[in-house]
């Protein structure tokens, strides 16, 4: 019996080559499972296919081969069960922060009363630290505040799977740190399943239960699944003192610098599921 919340099996993406040249395989044989409530980060070099995988999970792109099964149903096309947060916020510029959230909440629960939609939307905006800014339009908000609105909007609709594509990529380090902690807060409350792409190894360690490491493209693979064996609750300032912090960090950096290239070139390293790495707590 299938017990995993999300199953990705034999996923492949390729594009036809120009003229009669062979297809370009971006990634292939991507197999992994995600359990309900897990926070998963994906790390890999630029171009290995992270966003493509996220878009396939969202139902916004089609795989060349393989399947994605969520809650025992095959994913085909977008659904309100899967929410997406992109780097560029994707807010409606003519609506206030509150209206951006209520719009989505209303679409999710059309039967809800106006009062209930408002109360729910205010609560999520407060959770991401936007008290006092609910009535501002995106142009009146900083980049960090805009990304908070899009995170509040995504969590407020309570999708079963939340997909985030480098949500903090455009933010300065200080703002990023503050929002990361707000994200932990809202995720701890909601217990939603999150699949997030990041280039930042420290961010991945702070947020994730597991980190999936992708080897370099073409023919990239999900090579490793690294368990972040650092207890929660986690704070940026505290986790760096945990014994496993630098062990995990060094492992991730070594993958990016050395192994990500070798794994793609070494046919013998090919295995059906990512290698599971756990450092004892
Ligand atoms: N229409 C297309 N035709 C051919 N190749 C494409 C097409 N769209 C995307 N690609 C290629 O697919 C690969 C994967 O792109 P994707 O955006 O998923 O990578 P990524 O790992 O998310 O990169 P980054 O970290 O830079 O965002 C890239 O090498 C890109 O050039």
């Amino acid at each position: 019996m299938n017990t995993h919340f999300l199953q990705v099996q034999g996923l492949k993406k390729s594009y036809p080559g120009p003229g009669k040249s062979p297809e370009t395989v971006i990634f292939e044989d991507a197999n992994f499972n995600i359990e309900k409530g897990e926070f998963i980060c994906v790390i890999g070099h630029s171009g290995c296919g992270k966003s493509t995988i996220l878009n396939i999970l969202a139902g916004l792109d089609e795989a060349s081969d393989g399947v994605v099964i969520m809650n025992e149903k095959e994913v085909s096309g977008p659904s309100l069960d899967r929410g997406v947060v992109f780097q560029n916020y994707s807010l409606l510029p003519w609506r206030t922060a509150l209206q951006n959230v209520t719009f989505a909440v209303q679409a999710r629960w059309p039967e809800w009363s106006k009062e209930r939609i408002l109360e729910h939307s205010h609560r999520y905006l407060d959770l991401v630290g936007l008290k006092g800014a609910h009535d501002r339009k995106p142009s009146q908000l900083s980049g960090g505040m805009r990304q908070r609105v899009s995170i509040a909007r995504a969590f407020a609709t309570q999708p079963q799977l939340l997909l985030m594509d480098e949500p903090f990529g455009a933010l300065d380090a200080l703002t990023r740190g503050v929002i990361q902690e707000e994200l932990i807060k809202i995720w701890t409350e909601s217990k939603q399943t999150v699949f997030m792409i990041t280039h930042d190894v420290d961010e991945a360690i702070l947020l994730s239960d597991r980190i999936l490491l992708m080897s370099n493209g073409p023919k990239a693979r999900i090579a490793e699944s690294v368990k972040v064996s650092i207890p929660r609750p986690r704070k940026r300032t505290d986790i760096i003192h945990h014994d496993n912090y630098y062990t995990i960090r060094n492992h991730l950096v070594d993958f990016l610098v050395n192994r990500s290239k070798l794994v793609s070139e070494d046919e013998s390293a090919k295995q059906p599921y990512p290698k599971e790495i756990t450092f004892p707590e």
Side-chain angles (χ1 to χ4, degrees):
M1 203 183 79
N2 167 22
T3 50
H4 303 292
F5 168 65
L6 185 103
Q7 288 181 290
V8 173
Q9 297 172 344
L11 213 63
K12 171 182 173 181
K13 184 71 178 181
S14 58
Y15 291 101
K20 290 201 169 141
S21 52
E23 62 174 11
T24 305
V25 177
I26 306 300
F27 58 82
E28 60 182 357
D29 290 327
N31 296 295
F32 60 92
N33 300 319
I34 299 182
E35 310 307 333
K36 202 161 182 55
E38 265 194 307
F39 198 123
I40 301 290
C41 275
V42 185
I43 295 187
H45 282 285
S46 184
C48 67
K50 302 177 296 297
S51 298
T52 309
I53 291 189
L54 183 137
N55 287 332
I56 294 171
L57 298 188
L60 300 170
D61 195 353
E62 272 186 35
S64 310
D65 203 357
V67 283
V68 177
I69 298 166
M70 190 173 101
N71 267 337
E72 302 188 17
K73 275 199 222 119
E74 190 171 334
V75 166
S76 59
S79 149
L80 290 172
D81 282 341
R82 280 164 276 121
V84 191
V85 177
F86 293 108
Q87 190 183 115
N88 58 2
Y89 328 125
S90 14
L91 299 177
L92 301 170
W94 61 91
R95 290 176 181 265
T96 63
L98 180 65
Q99 289 165 343
N100 264 281
V101 181
T102 55
F103 182 67
V105 172
Q106 191 172 21
R108 177 78 162 140
W109 295 286
E111 71 283 10
W112 278 17
S113 68
K114 203 174 162 210
E115 291 70 34
R116 187 167 180 196
I117 291 170
L118 276 173
E119 187 255 333
H120 185 83
S121 305
H122 278 301
R123 199 168 83 75
Y124 276 85
L125 283 169
D126 286 349
L127 265 176
V128 294
L130 280 178
K131 232 183 192 121
H134 297 197
D135 294 324
R136 289 205 226 157
K137 291 199 173 146
S139 60
Q140 299 165 318
L141 300 170
S142 67
M145 292 165 99
R146 285 181 210 166
Q147 196 53 300
R148 287 182 169 104
V149 178
S150 66
I151 289 170
R153 180 179 59 183
F155 274 91
T157 57
Q158 298 177 350
Q160 296 201 34
L161 176 64
L162 197 59
L163 300 154
M164 301 203 275
D165 194 346
E166 286 189 68
F168 310 131
L171 306 178
D172 65 88
L174 277 178
T175 311
R176 197 178 174 122
V178 174
I179 306 188
Q180 282 165 352
E181 288 188 352
E182 279 157 5
L183 178 64
I184 294 181
K185 202 167 73 185
I186 197 168
W187 173 76
T188 310
E189 240 200 43
S190 68
K191 297 274 184 286
Q192 266 150 278
T193 312
V194 178
F195 180 91
M196 171 171 151
I197 296 172
T198 178
H199 282 282
D200 181 337
V201 293
D202 298 297
E203 178 170 281
I205 299 173
L206 176 68
L207 299 174
S208 330
D209 293 309
R210 274 190 299 135
I211 301 171
L212 298 178
L213 295 175
M214 273 186 91
S215 64
N216 294 358
K219 296 192 175 179
R221 295 179 208 145
I222 309 264
E224 295 185 12
S225 163
V226 181
K227 190 167 187 288
V228 181
S229 38
I230 298 178
R232 296 183 189 270
R234 296 182 196 148
K235 280 192 125 234
R236 267 179 312 147
T237 42
D238 298 341
I239 59 167
I240 52 172
H241 302 299
H242 190 279
D243 287 347
N244 278 351
Y245 188 81
Y246 283 101
T247 313
I248 296 171
R249 194 178 193 284
N250 291 343
H251 184 88
L252 301 178
V253 172
D254 182 59
F255 179 88
L256 290 172
V257 175
N258 300 310
R259 298 195 310 282
S260 59
K261 184 165 175 283
L262 299 175
V263 171
S264 291
E265 287 169 355
D266 180 4
E267 280 297 310
S268 66
K270 199 169 173 178
Q271 48 179 24
Y273 276 84
K275 193 171 166 187
E276 291 193 15
I277 312 283
T278 307
F279 299 100
E281 271 186 50

